[in-house]
Amino acid sequence: MDQPSYHHGNLKRVIIDAALQAIGESGPAGWSLRELARRAGVSHAAPAHHFGDKQGLLTAVAAEGFALFADALERATADVWEVGVAYVRFAIDHRPYFEVMFRPELYRADDPSIQSAHERAAGVLITSARALSPSPEHDRMTTLAAWSLVHGFTSLWLSGALPESTDGDPEALARSMIRLVLGALR
């Protein structure tokens, strides 16, 4: 029996949305392009036609994720402490993107759209960390410490490793932790 064919106004968007749903359910490796096509209600060739292969599709996901991430961080720049909270909030609210973005082996990291959005996000993180740095010679170490702190906290939260992960407030906890640890730098 033939399956009905579907017409999609923006097939790329439909495929990316199906990938985000699949990533949310089984991670970035737990599905195939054929399965994704079935999920999206498109021909099995459509994902390959638009993205080439799974790595191409994950490149599009990472590029979109980094752009959204940069937007979220930029909105928080009025308060240097809130940049770290925005990092945590983004990861929790956009987990499928987050699960791909920091796994460069999954996508084409040299893709210009990824590089541009990644540089925007990194710029916010570097500028914010610089504001917390005790001196210019400590800027790089402060940036690494701040990034490690919020990324590590986020990873622990998302994996459920923290007792608070089940019913705690990740933003409040992150805010307190960031001020405690990074406030000591000042």
Side-chain angles (χ1 to χ4, degrees), residues 80-156:
V80 68
W81 302 107
E82 289 301 306
V83 172
V85 177
Y87 190 109
V88 172
R89 183 181 316 114
F90 175 85
I92 291 169
D93 291 347
H94 299 91
R95 186 174 183 165
Y97 287 112
F98 191 77
E99 292 202 16
V100 173
M101 292 164 46
F102 295 100
R103 302 258 323 266
E105 75 278 7
L106 296 175
Y107 56 85
R108 295 180 183 98
D110 60 349
D111 184 273
S113 59
I114 287 179
Q115 289 180 335
S116 173
H118 185 275
E119 287 171 14
R120 277 181 48 220
V124 174
L125 295 173
I126 290 166
T127 301
S128 298
R130 192 175 294 139
L132 298 172
S133 180
S135 64
E137 58 270 7
H138 292 101
D139 285 357
R140 177 68 179 150
M141 287 300 109
T142 304
T143 300
L144 287 174
W147 184 24
S148 298
L149 180 70
V150 295
H151 192 87
F153 171 80
T154 300
S155 296
L156 290 168

Side-chain angles (χ1 to χ4, degrees), residues 5-15 37 39-43 46 50:
S5 64
Y6 296 95
H7 174 73
H8 295 284
N10 186 347
L11 192 55
K12 281 186 169 186
R13 177 80 260 152
V14 169
I15 295 167
R39 175 189 295 262
V42 300
S43 78
H50 286 282

